[in-house]
Amino acid sequence: MLRSGRRLALGTVAIVAAASACAPMPPVVLPPSPVTFIEHTVDGSIGGPSFVSYADALPGGGTEVVVSAFGKPAGGPGTVGIYQRTGAGLDSWARTDVVTAADNIKYPNESTVTDLDGDGDQDVVVTGGFFQCAFSGPGCGTLAWFENTGGGYTRHDVLPPNQTNFFHKAIVVDFDNDGVTDLVTVGETFTTAAVMWFKGDANPLNPRFNGTPLVIGNGGGSLPEVDDVDNDGDLDVISPQYFAAGRSFAWWERTADPSLLNPTGTFVDHTITSVVGPAFEIRSVPNLKGDGVRRWVSTNHVNTTFNGGSPASGVYELDPASGVTNVWNANLLSQGIVARPSSPVSLAPGTFNVGDIDGDGDIDIAVSGDGDASLYWLQQQADHSFQTFKMDTDMGQAGGGSVADLDGDGFADVAFSSFEQDVVKIYSAS
């Protein structure tokens, strides 16, 4: 849910100038899945769930399911909750509230779970907002963290509520190498985006993060990552780009570290590619093909009915074959992901994650169709190509795709949400 008009589930709500509809592309007929999935309901009555992730968020060990929900109708107060298993299987869950309606956070997006205050428990960074708020009043952007006090969560705003910029994800990382974690994010509007970071402060008498954004550069958006993109030993930023027009993915190369004289640091902007249309997510995947090589996997966010069939909606490998500072190759890995053609703002695909879904020892990919109502998984083949299969055919706008063996039975468990159906499910391979 990043941008489709109906997709208020991960962030797909963008108003796109309607192009004249082209003849629909013939559908790709996918083979039946070689893996059977058992469905488990985590929550079947949650209003408008959107982002879903796995984290070790609560005491007791194990992995919990962290769910953001926009609420219904979207645009009112949303929620963030943590679901913990209460039995040996995957059918019994207890919810712990992090964000409630009383917090009045609209469009809560992807949350990050980590110990921010060094007290041994897990806190939660919450991002929020969407461009639609700007058309009905003030912005609704949120950048906050919720302190785990042992008896609940206490809110701390990094920025004052109702920002003009909205935020889809914040990365917690020691960005300036001073021993204290910082926040790196992208602030977006309907037409602009800026990569920024907020300096962390370990002094308990001060706010945990300085509220003055340090702006690295323009562009990016959705779900960025912090990584050593060029393998030179320092941290860069890499990001999809959606609302800011002109390219699909970009990265910002660190050429000088932050310092007293240069608090932001110095970063050089590089376009990765502009050929796959507006984009949703990118991830670094070490050893994707079993050869020890790190590769970049990504999703775009388009509707092939309204773009003449090109670029294709799908999962792409971005390959810096001609050099990391030059334009990268974009290689389509998936087949048959197509947004419902009812509107130019129904866009596909959405979020994804990776893991060994079929238990054969290599890395597969799970991806939400988003504007495509199906859920997909990409099975890695012996030649390291990927074959796309459907995991479910009727989940509406979906988010999630996290992959892990939650119950220790040796089979991967994949979490997805459905904004339209108000449900969070786990698909357990068997």
Side-chain angles (χ1 to χ4, degrees):
M1 287 129 216
L2 238 194
R3 351 262 168 205
S4 84
R6 29 186 316 150
R7 158 248 180 229
L8 285 178
L10 274 198
T12 308
V13 186
I15 296 176
V16 178
S20 57
C22 303
M25 303 293 290
V28 174
V29 178
L30 298 175
S33 174
V35 172
T36 300
F37 294 93
I38 301 170
E39 295 183 22
H40 306 270
T41 299
V42 176
D43 191 334
S45 59
I46 180 173
S50 51
F51 290 89
V52 180
S53 60
Y54 289 153
D56 182 4
L58 297 175
T63 300
E64 284 77 50
V65 184
V66 184
V67 180
S68 300
F70 290 169
K72 292 277 186 79
T79 63
V80 176
I82 300 171
Y83 292 82
Q84 187 174 39
R85 289 191 300 130
T86 58
L90 298 173
D91 296 298
S92 180
W93 301 84
R95 177 184 168 100
T96 297
D97 289 328
V98 178
V99 174
T100 69
D103 291 298
N104 197 32
I105 293 179
K106 298 179 179 180
Y107 303 103
N109 293 313
E110 183 164 302
S111 298
T112 302
V113 176
T114 189
D115 182 4
L116 286 176
D117 51 8
D119 63 355
D121 56 27
Q122 299 291 81
D123 310 300
V124 184
V125 179
V126 176
T127 57
F130 207 60
F131 79 90
Q132 286 191 328
C133 295
F135 298 118
S136 58
C140 58
T142 297
L143 185 61
W145 69 281
F146 284 72
E147 177 188 0
N148 187 343
T149 64
Y153 289 84
T154 298
R155 176 176 178 169
H156 303 273
D157 286 309
V158 179
L159 293 173
N162 300 320
Q163 291 286 306
T164 300
N165 281 319
F166 51 86
F167 306 90
H168 274 103
K169 178 181 180 180
I171 300 108
V172 179
V173 63
D174 183 4
F175 199 59
D176 56 358
N177 301 309
D178 67 351
V180 180
T181 51
D182 314 296
L183 290 181
V184 181
T185 187
V186 176
E188 297 177 89
T189 71
F190 181 46
T191 57
T192 67
V195 184
M196 60 186 69
W197 67 283
F198 296 82
K199 183 173 176 58
D201 189 336
N203 186 338
L205 300 178
N206 297 332
R208 178 60 177 80
F209 299 100
N210 188 301
T212 301
L214 300 167
V215 178
I216 290 170
N218 294 321
S222 334
L223 303 174
E225 292 288 337
V226 173
D227 209 315
D228 183 5
V229 177
D230 52 1
N231 297 312
D232 66 350
D234 57 27
L235 292 177
D236 312 300
V237 180
I238 188 168
S239 181
Q241 190 160 307
Y242 186 86
F243 285 106
R247 55 186 175 181
S248 307
F249 296 91
W251 73 283
W252 288 262
E253 177 188 6
R254 182 189 301 236
T255 57
D257 289 330
S259 65
L260 288 176
L261 295 178
N262 180 19
T264 303
T266 303
F267 294 82
V268 176
D269 181 316
H270 300 285
T271 294
I272 291 176
T273 183
S274 304
V275 302
V276 300
F280 197 105
E281 186 168 16
I282 188 167
R283 289 183 180 273
S284 169
V285 185
N287 200 34
L288 173 65
K289 298 182 179 180
D291 55 4
V293 176
R294 176 187 60 171
R295 290 178 167 84
W296 295 94
V297 179
S298 65
T299 50
N300 66 348
H301 204 54
V302 299
N303 188 312
T304 53
T305 298
F306 292 86
N307 70 4
S310 180
S313 303
V315 180
Y316 287 81
E317 179 189 345
L318 302 179
D319 178 15
S322 61
V324 72
T325 60
N326 297 321
V327 173
W328 300 14
N329 297 328
N331 305 314
L332 183 64
L333 301 181
S334 61
Q335 308 90 35
I337 300 176
V338 179
R340 290 167 286 187
S342 57
S343 163
V345 294
S346 179
L347 309 169
T351 54
F352 74 95
N353 217 311
V354 302
D356 185 4
I357 294 174
D358 55 5
D360 66 354
D362 58 23
I363 296 176
D364 310 300
I365 302 169
V367 60
S368 69
D370 203 319
D372 179 324
S374 293
L375 307 177
Y376 295 91
W377 72 286
L378 280 61
Q379 182 187 49
Q380 186 164 178
Q381 306 297 296
D383 63 357
H384 304 303
S385 63
F386 289 84
Q387 174 61 54
T388 305
F389 301 100
K390 290 186 177 182
M391 190 176 291
D392 198 339
T393 59
D394 186 25
M395 274 287 275
Q397 286 181 303
S402 293
V403 182
D405 180 5
L406 298 184
D407 54 3
D409 66 354
F411 295 100
D413 306 306
V414 186
F416 282 106
S417 67
S418 172
F419 174 82
E420 294 169 28
Q421 298 180 12
D422 299 325
V423 66
V424 176
K425 292 182 180 181
I426 288 176
Y427 295 79
S428 180
S430 63

